[in-house]
Amino acid sequence: MKKFLVLYKAPAASFEQMMKATPEQQKAGMEAWMTWSKKAANLIVDMGGPLGKSLRVTTSGSSPTTNDLGGYSVLQGESKEALADGLKGHPHFMTPGGTIEIVELMALPGM
């Protein structure tokens, strides 16, 4: 099986809205993720988690930056397309403007 980095993306305003969720809303969100994780247990290599703020590093230094990344998982499957089927109904789609990107983790050449 191949491994894939799964990136959970959404507009910054959507993540800010989620941070303001009530404890009951947060609990419901986590329950949705746990329900999905049980259904997709055969796909999950690493459940992953939320991502914090970004720092861009260049040859001239570093500076804070923003992006639309909110979290990640590492999943396994035969192909990106097969994983896409397993992500139907994923709780991240409850996030306004939420999208999911699947990127294959490639082996280093010669390693």
Side-chain angles (χ1 to χ4, degrees):
M1 289 240 192
K2 298 177 182 178
K3 290 184 184 175
F4 300 89
L5 179 63
V6 177
L7 298 169
Y8 304 109
K9 302 174 85 174
S14 295
F15 292 123
E16 290 170 12
Q17 179 183 352
M18 288 174 38
M19 298 302 288
K20 296 176 185 175
T22 67
E24 294 81 16
Q25 291 168 323
Q26 291 175 2
K27 183 179 178 194
M30 285 308 302
E31 287 173 355
W33 274 82
M34 293 301 104
T35 298
W36 174 81
S37 71
K38 289 176 185 166
K39 182 179 90 171
N42 63 319
L43 304 176
I44 299 171
V45 174
D46 179 348
M47 187 68 168
L51 296 172
K53 294 182 179 183
S54 297
L55 184 69
R56 176 170 289 141
V57 180
T58 67
T59 56
S60 60
S62 61
S63 61
T65 188
T66 58
N67 60 49
D68 59 355
L69 297 173
Y72 78 99
S73 294
V74 177
L75 303 182
Q76 64 184 357
E78 295 300 322
S79 66
K80 292 182 291 262
E81 295 76 16
L83 279 184
D85 285 340
L87 291 167
K88 288 180 180 171
H90 191 282
H92 180 67
F93 294 124
M94 295 186 303
T95 304
T99 62
I100 298 175
E101 290 189 19
I102 302 169
V103 182
E104 185 173 351
L105 297 172
M106 307 293 286
L108 287 172
M111 299 296 275

